[in-house]
């Protein structure tokens, strides 16, 4: 083995070791006690979130109806009072029939008017928005970007090792590996995040004075609207039945928070 080749291999080993140490040092723990991979600086995620939100506002009509904006803001303000960093969030209602809502790093929240079709009460909308806030507070966006980065680097390494292979079998293997990366790592991870956000949202809405039992009714509405939805194993979200079961199982913890909340009167004033 010549010196150049040996040096390249040694450097590759050192690079892999440095990358492994970096990944290990990037492990964090979520609000629910789950281990997370966090590779991106939070400030960079905030910048990305703010940029994406500005793009969304430029491309999607913004609702100007004061009643709709006041309704969403009333609910959101109560939810944000339950988190440590609840000041300075930007909340925008988008005029769209799409059933959607989101929260982004950088303190951004968007709610589509189409969501009112399935979130038929203020408590049901609080469950939706609380869930989205949960994604941000639990750093799920950072985690997803980090996992995607790591899986792509792993795939590239395998492709480099397999570069000498040719023909249909190689293409089939690469296709299967890509599918394995998607279904074996990214999608199940996404379902864990969604379930975690459900639990955070349940806690937030109860503390904010919204009946947590309405979260179950929300997903019953979602199930009817979607006609049952797609199979859970092909989705980044848990099935509606799974969500209903998990929310119901945690209701014994959420109900006392709701009953003891000092915000119930304020929550009852959030009306469309």
């Amino acid at each position: 083995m010549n010196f150049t080749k040996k040096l390249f291999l040694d450097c590759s080993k050192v690079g892999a070791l440095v990358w492994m140490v970096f990944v290990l040092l990037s492990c964090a723990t979520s609000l629910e006690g789950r281990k997370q991979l966090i590779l991106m600086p939070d400030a960079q995620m905030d910048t990305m979130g703010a940029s994406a939100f500005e793009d969304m506002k430029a491309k999607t009509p913004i609702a100007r109806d004061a009643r709709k904006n006041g309704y969403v803001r009333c609910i959101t303000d109560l939810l944000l009072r339950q988190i440590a960093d609840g000041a300075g969030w930007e909340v925008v209602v988008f005029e769209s029939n799409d059933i959607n809502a989101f929260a982004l790093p950088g303190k951004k929240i968007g709610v589509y008017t189409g969501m009112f079709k399935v979130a038929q009460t203020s408590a049901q909308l609080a469950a939706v928005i609380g869930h989205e806030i949960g994604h941000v507070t639990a750093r799920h966006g950072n985690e997803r970007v980090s996992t995607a980065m790591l899986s792509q680097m792993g795939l590239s390494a395998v492709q480099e090792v397999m570069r000498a292979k040719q023909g249909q079998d190689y293409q089939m293997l690469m296709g299967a590996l890509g599918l394995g990366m998607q279904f074996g790592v990214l999608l199940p991870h996404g379902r864990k995040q969604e379930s975690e956000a459900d639990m955070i949202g349940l806690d937030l809405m109860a503390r904010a004075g919204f009946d947590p039992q309405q979260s179950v009714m929300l997903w019953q509405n979602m199930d009817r609207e979607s006609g049952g939805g797609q199979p859970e194993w092909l989705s980044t979200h848990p099935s509606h039945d799974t969500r209903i079961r998990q929310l119901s199982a945690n209701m014994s913890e959420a109900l006392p928070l709701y009953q003891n909340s000092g915000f119930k009167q304020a929550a009852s004033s959030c009306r469309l």
Side-chain angles (χ1 to χ4, degrees):
M1 181 181 293
N2 61 46
F3 176 76
T4 302
K5 186 174 182 180
K6 184 177 185 299
L7 181 62
F8 173 78
L9 291 174
D10 288 344
C11 288
S12 297
K13 292 177 182 177
V14 171
L17 180 60
V18 169
W19 174 244
M20 186 180 297
V21 171
F22 175 62
V23 169
L24 289 173
L25 291 175
S26 300
C27 288
T29 303
S30 74
L31 297 175
E32 298 293 299
R34 179 176 55 81
K35 293 298 182 183
Q36 295 177 290
L37 178 68
I38 302 295
L39 300 177
M40 298 285 287
D42 286 331
Q44 189 170 349
M45 291 299 302
D46 290 347
T47 299
M48 291 168 59
S51 176
F53 199 64
E54 289 303 311
D55 188 55
M56 177 73 71
K57 290 193 293 183
K59 294 178 179 178
T60 309
I62 296 175
R64 301 301 179 187
D65 187 319
R67 187 169 51 94
K68 293 177 182 177
N69 279 279
Y71 175 60
V72 171
R73 189 78 234 194
C74 178
I75 295 168
T76 305
D77 284 349
L78 287 171
L79 292 168
L80 291 174
R81 290 179 69 175
Q82 313 311 314
I83 66 174
D85 195 16
W89 287 66
E90 182 180 4
V91 182
V92 174
V93 181
F94 293 100
E95 195 68 59
S96 171
N97 289 327
D98 292 341
I99 299 172
N100 193 24
F102 61 88
L104 298 172
K107 298 185 173 183
K108 309 297 181 182
I109 294 174
V111 178
Y112 287 36
T113 53
M115 181 58 72
F116 301 155
K117 291 186 295 184
V118 291
Q120 298 171 356
T121 68
S122 59
Q124 290 175 19
L125 188 56
V128 172
I129 299 173
H131 169 98
E132 299 303 331
I133 293 171
H135 278 308
V136 175
T137 59
R139 303 169 81 191
H140 288 163
N142 196 326
E143 188 179 9
R144 287 288 283 173
V145 171
S146 300
T147 304
M149 287 171 55
L150 191 61
S151 67
Q152 184 59 46
M153 289 176 183
L155 183 59
S156 298
V158 173
Q159 288 176 326
E160 183 67 25
V161 171
M162 299 290 291
R163 191 175 294 278
K165 301 293 182 181
Q166 300 291 333
Q168 186 175 0
D169 289 344
Y170 172 73
Q171 296 299 327
M172 188 181 299
L173 177 61
M174 287 296 98
L177 183 58
L179 194 66
M181 284 289 187
Q182 184 181 20
F183 292 140
V185 178
L186 296 183
L187 292 188
H189 197 191
R191 288 196 291 270
K192 289 179 181 179
Q193 292 171 338
E194 291 297 329
S195 295
E196 193 169 62
D198 280 345
M199 295 307 105
I200 295 171
L202 187 69
D203 181 89
L204 289 179
M205 70 180 293
R207 292 179 186 277
F210 297 99
D211 183 358
Q213 295 173 108
Q214 289 284 313
S215 64
V216 172
M217 298 180 70
L218 166 71
W219 287 106
Q220 291 170 342
N221 294 346
M222 288 281 197
D223 190 55
R224 284 192 294 271
E225 180 69 24
S226 65
Q230 63 179 328
E232 182 170 351
W233 64 277
L234 276 176
S235 172
T236 57
H237 294 56
S239 70
H240 299 146
D241 286 344
T242 297
R243 299 185 103 138
I244 289 169
R245 185 171 61 253
Q246 291 173 342
L247 288 165
S248 298
N250 284 271
M251 205 58 65
S252 60
E253 296 179 14
L255 280 172
L257 297 176
Y258 167 63
Q259 291 160 356
N260 295 322
S261 172
F263 298 96
K264 283 190 285 189
Q265 184 173 350
S268 68
S269 70
C270 298
R271 298 175 183 173
L272 183 60

